[in-house]
Amino acid sequence: MARRIEYIGDPVLTLAQVASQCRIEPEDLDPVLIDQIIIPGVTGQCEARTGASIRAALYEEDWPAHYPAGHPLDVGQAFEVVSVSALQPDGAWSEQAGPFDLRQGQRESFLHFPKGRPAGELRIRYKAALDLELQPSVRNWLLMAAATFIKHPEMFVVGQALAELPSTFLASLISEVTVPPRF
């Protein structure tokens, strides 16, 4: 399972975009609620639902020795391998020189090793992000979800988290980037 190390990009929505979707003037919205709860909440829900990196981030995942070259990375929309390290017998990690070949599909990215996969357990760091210009339906999903939370906050804003939308009517908007189950 991949771990997000840090976000490296700007949030995927702005207060102005959310206000426009809601047909409300930006100054009539609570910027703290939008910027710190709604936008991160809908982004997180979309990432959890799709398995794709919606906002640009750095990820790290460990591959057991039996994962072959060409295995998919856990998070969809990976676009750059930052490093690959191999576990040494003494427990230390040794960075591998490469080359690495990251092949991007619509939903998944596959890591190949042109000179052969390094032996043993690997730790892979990579960057991933969805290009919302190429997938405008995902931006629509995010905006519709944000607008729903703003219009009906008593149903969805619970403490400092957002409850999931009760319907799957928006699911088709994100289906093109949803990583297939691996079980």
Side-chain angles (χ1 to χ4, degrees):
M1 185 71 159
R3 297 171 294 284
R4 183 174 37 258
I5 303 300
E6 66 178 324
Y7 280 118
I8 55 176
D10 293 329
V12 294
L13 298 177
T14 65
L15 176 67
Q17 289 172 317
V18 173
S20 176
Q21 177 72 22
C22 294
R23 293 170 177 68
I24 298 173
E25 293 298 319
E27 55 272 3
D28 292 336
L29 290 173
D30 179 354
V32 172
L33 176 69
I34 304 303
D35 291 336
Q36 294 181 12
I37 297 175
I38 302 290
I39 292 173
V42 299
T43 302
Q45 284 187 358
C46 193
E47 288 178 338
R49 185 165 262 221
T50 63
S53 178
I54 303 302
R55 182 177 174 187
L58 177 66
Y59 292 90
E60 180 178 87
E61 71 180 79
D62 294 336
W63 277 17
H66 69 272
Y67 279 15
H71 189 78
L73 294 169
D74 284 344
V75 176
Q77 307 304 315
F79 63 87
E80 179 185 339
V81 174
V82 175
S83 66
V84 175
S85 299
L87 184 62
Q88 301 303 302
D90 65 359
W93 291 96
S94 172
E95 192 164 328
Q96 304 297 295
F100 313 115
D101 180 18
L102 185 63
R103 298 181 190 168
Q104 294 175 286
Q106 181 171 334
R107 294 180 173 94
E108 298 177 284
S109 298
F110 304 87
L111 183 57
H112 295 268
F113 301 91
K115 292 188 177 180
R117 183 199 187 282
E121 186 175 339
L122 300 179
R123 178 162 288 163
I124 302 155
R125 279 193 175 218
Y126 56 94
K127 295 177 183 178
L130 180 67
D131 184 342
L132 290 171
E133 297 304 316
L134 296 176
Q135 299 291 340
S137 64
V138 176
R139 184 187 318 272
N140 290 342
W141 188 98
L142 293 163
L143 287 168
M144 292 169 124
T148 301
F149 293 130
I150 291 167
K151 296 286 188 177
H152 307 286
E154 66 283 352
M155 293 177 61
F156 299 109
V157 179
V158 182
Q160 294 296 312
L162 295 178
E164 182 137 4
L165 289 172
S167 173
T168 60
F169 75 100
L170 298 173
S172 66
L173 296 174
I174 57 176
S175 64
E176 288 187 13
V177 298
T178 302
V179 175
R182 295 205 171 91
F183 299 62

